[in-house]
Amino acid sequence: MDEAAGGNAKTSGLVDHVIDYIYRHVADERLRPGARLPSETTISLTLGVSRRVVREAMPTLAATGLVEMAVGKRATIVPVDGEMLSRVIGNALLTGQADTRNILEMRRGIEITMVALAAERRSDSDAAELQKIVREMATKLGNAKRYAELDLALHARLARATGNPLYTLLIDAFRQLIAASMQEGIERWSASPELKRVQDLHENIVAAVVARDPGAAAGAMAQHFDDALIKILAPIVAGEPAG
């Protein structure tokens, strides 16, 4: 290893040390969104490293979504969102490491459990909002774009109704991918009576959640995804374009 390579390896090791320290600091101090990290000077003195090393560590932390950086200000803990997970899954689709079937199968498992929890835990305001959304959906069967938007809003509200923030995070992460697959399915269904079945299943899902019936809610959601898998994937199996 030449001197330059050795120097780079040493710096990289120090940067990793800073990153590990900050993760431990966040955990030990129970920092929450809006809290600020110690200053570069404080971190460098605490760890015995240069401020340059601390500055090199910050973009990595920002890239993970842990902190937000601004010129002249200390790094701040930020609320978690689904952007990073969405990027990873989007890259998997882009590079052929995943496809529509994979997305729908994963969503199926997640959302069956999600809707059962929503049925157990939903509030009165959740129930009212779900009913409002599904009523509007019934009036938009001829408008694939708006129907897909409402469909996504329905799933997002079901996630919120679970009271588990990780479901909301997952739905947020899949937002663009879900929207694309929803509109693809709705456009495929729109010229046939099958879209009415889609709407009926949405209404069954909401009715079960409102009635606090987890089994019925899970069953309706499972059927919804099974129908989607058949309708979207059948043309692919037959060698026709999916869009």
Side-chain angles (χ1 to χ4, degrees):
M1 180 182 294
D2 61 30
E3 184 176 347
N8 289 338
K10 181 178 179 181
T11 299
S12 177
L14 291 174
V15 169
D16 289 342
H17 181 50
V18 172
I19 291 170
D20 290 343
Y21 165 77
I22 291 174
Y23 276 119
R24 290 196 307 273
H25 178 80
V26 171
D28 292 345
E29 299 299 321
R30 301 179 65 85
L31 299 186
R32 298 297 180 258
R36 293 189 298 176
L37 293 182
S39 68
E40 287 181 2
T41 299
T42 298
I43 295 172
S44 68
L45 290 173
T46 299
L47 298 181
V49 301
S50 70
R51 292 180 62 184
R52 180 178 65 83
V53 169
V54 177
R55 282 195 296 271
E56 287 186 24
M58 290 303 170
T60 299
L61 291 165
T64 68
L66 177 66
V67 301
E68 181 178 63
M69 299 169 59
V71 176
K73 296 183 180 180
R74 284 155 56 186
T76 303
I77 304 295
V78 294
V80 174
D81 62 32
E83 182 178 350
M84 179 172 298
L85 180 56
S86 179
R87 196 177 304 149
V88 169
I89 296 172
N91 287 343
L93 288 171
L94 180 66
T95 58
Q97 298 176 72
D99 57 22
T100 301
R101 178 197 295 271
N102 300 145
I103 295 294
L104 288 173
E105 287 177 346
M106 181 169 62
R107 283 187 55 208
R108 183 185 188 278
I110 290 170
E111 296 199 40
I112 288 172
T113 302
M114 181 184 83
V115 79
L117 288 175
E120 293 176 359
R121 301 173 180 176
R122 62 88 178 159
S123 66
D124 290 344
S125 62
D126 290 325
E129 184 62 23
L130 289 166
Q131 289 172 317
K132 178 182 176 182
I133 293 171
V134 84
R135 281 196 301 268
E136 184 178 352
M137 290 173 75
T139 70
K140 303 298 181 182
L141 297 179
N143 183 338
K145 184 175 184 297
R146 179 57 182 159
Y147 194 91
E149 291 171 351
L150 290 166
D151 198 340
L152 182 56
L154 184 73
H155 287 255
R157 189 68 190 206
L158 288 168
R160 178 176 169 182
T162 67
N164 182 335
L166 294 180
Y167 280 109
T168 300
L169 177 66
L170 286 170
I171 295 299
D172 182 56
F174 294 139
R175 181 173 295 274
Q176 291 185 345
L177 302 174
I178 290 173
S181 65
M182 280 180 176
Q183 188 159 344
E184 178 182 359
I186 290 163
E187 287 175 347
R188 187 169 295 282
W189 274 313
S190 61
S192 73
E194 290 174 349
L195 188 55
K196 179 61 168 61
R197 174 174 169 79
V198 174
Q199 177 62 19
D200 288 344
L201 285 170
H202 283 128
E203 292 177 6
N204 291 346
I205 290 167
V206 170
V209 171
V210 171
R212 301 187 187 279
D213 187 338
M221 185 65 83
Q223 189 61 62
H224 176 43
F225 274 99
D226 289 344
D227 285 7
L229 281 161
I230 291 170
K231 191 63 180 178
I232 291 175
L233 297 177
I236 297 175
V237 173
E240 300 173 13

